[in-house]
């Protein structure tokens, strides 16, 4: 399935099956409705971030915020740059520098000292999205 079809199917599930399970992570189920609201909230945060370019870093984690961040970026026509917390700090800093990131999304255990000048971060870990929101 090509990416446009994949995203189209996800968008359709957001509105037509909001109570159906979208993810099951670490013993917790997340519905398409919950995912939809979180993706919409993250999209709003991305739009409000200063100087964002067409690619955004995502501090990887096995949590709903990480998956919602990736979907929010894709649905906004942006690419994500994976930044792996298991990598050494020097390698992650090099990834951030080489890709000239202006924004990095993270949900947990992120050290702001990793950021280079001109790059900001947004924590998605404590967002309280409004139910019923659908991403753009």
């Amino acid at each position: 399935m090509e990416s446009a079809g994949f995203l189209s199917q996800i968008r359709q599930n957001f509105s037509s099956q909001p109570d159906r399970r979208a993810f099951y992570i670490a013993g917790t189920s997340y519905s398409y409705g919950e995912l939809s609201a979180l993706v919409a909230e993250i999209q709003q945060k991305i739009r409000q971030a200063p100087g964002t370019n067409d690619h955004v870093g995502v501090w990887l984690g096995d949590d709903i915020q990480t998956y919602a961040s990736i979907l929010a970026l894709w649905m906004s026509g942006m690419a994500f740059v994976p930044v792996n917390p298991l990598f050494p700090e020097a390698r992650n800093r090099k990834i951030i520098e080489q890709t000239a990131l202006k924004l990095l999304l993270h949900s947990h255990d992120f050290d702001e000292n990793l950021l280079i000048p001109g790059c900001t971060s947004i924590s998605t870990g404590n967002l309280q999205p409004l139910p019923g929101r659908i991403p753009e």
Side-chain angles (χ1 to χ4, degrees):
M1 176 183 290
E2 62 182 63
S3 63
F6 170 73
L7 292 178
S8 177
Q9 183 62 51
I10 298 248
R11 285 182 211 269
Q12 183 179 350
N13 290 347
F14 284 161
S15 57
S16 67
Q17 302 182 57
D19 297 325
R20 188 171 179 190
R21 183 188 316 176
F23 281 97
Y24 184 77
I25 304 167
T28 303
S29 288
Y30 299 93
S31 70
Y32 277 105
E34 292 169 314
L35 179 62
S36 173
L38 186 55
V39 168
E41 183 72 18
I42 293 170
Q43 278 184 321
Q44 181 177 337
K45 296 291 184 189
I46 293 167
R47 281 193 305 274
Q48 294 171 345
T52 303
N53 50 23
D54 64 350
H55 55 282
V56 173
V58 177
W59 188 250
L60 300 177
D62 189 19
D63 54 44
I64 193 65
Q65 293 85 1
T66 297
Y67 299 112
S69 293
I70 294 167
L71 287 172
L73 291 167
W74 285 346
M75 290 181 173
S76 299
M78 303 169 99
F80 84 96
V81 176
V83 183
N84 192 331
L86 300 178
F87 288 171
E89 183 177 319
R91 183 169 181 190
N92 281 329
R93 181 179 291 280
K94 189 153 189 95
I95 290 168
I96 292 169
E97 289 171 352
Q98 288 181 333
T99 57
L101 289 181
K102 302 288 183 206
L103 179 64
L104 190 139
L105 305 174
H106 62 89
S107 60
H108 66 286
D109 301 329
F110 180 72
D111 182 2
E112 295 283 331
N113 293 321
L114 186 64
L115 297 176
I116 60 172
C119 183
T120 60
S121 71
I122 295 174
S123 174
T124 60
N126 295 320
L127 295 179
Q128 300 296 317
L130 298 172
R133 289 186 64 197
I134 302 226
E136 295 179 11

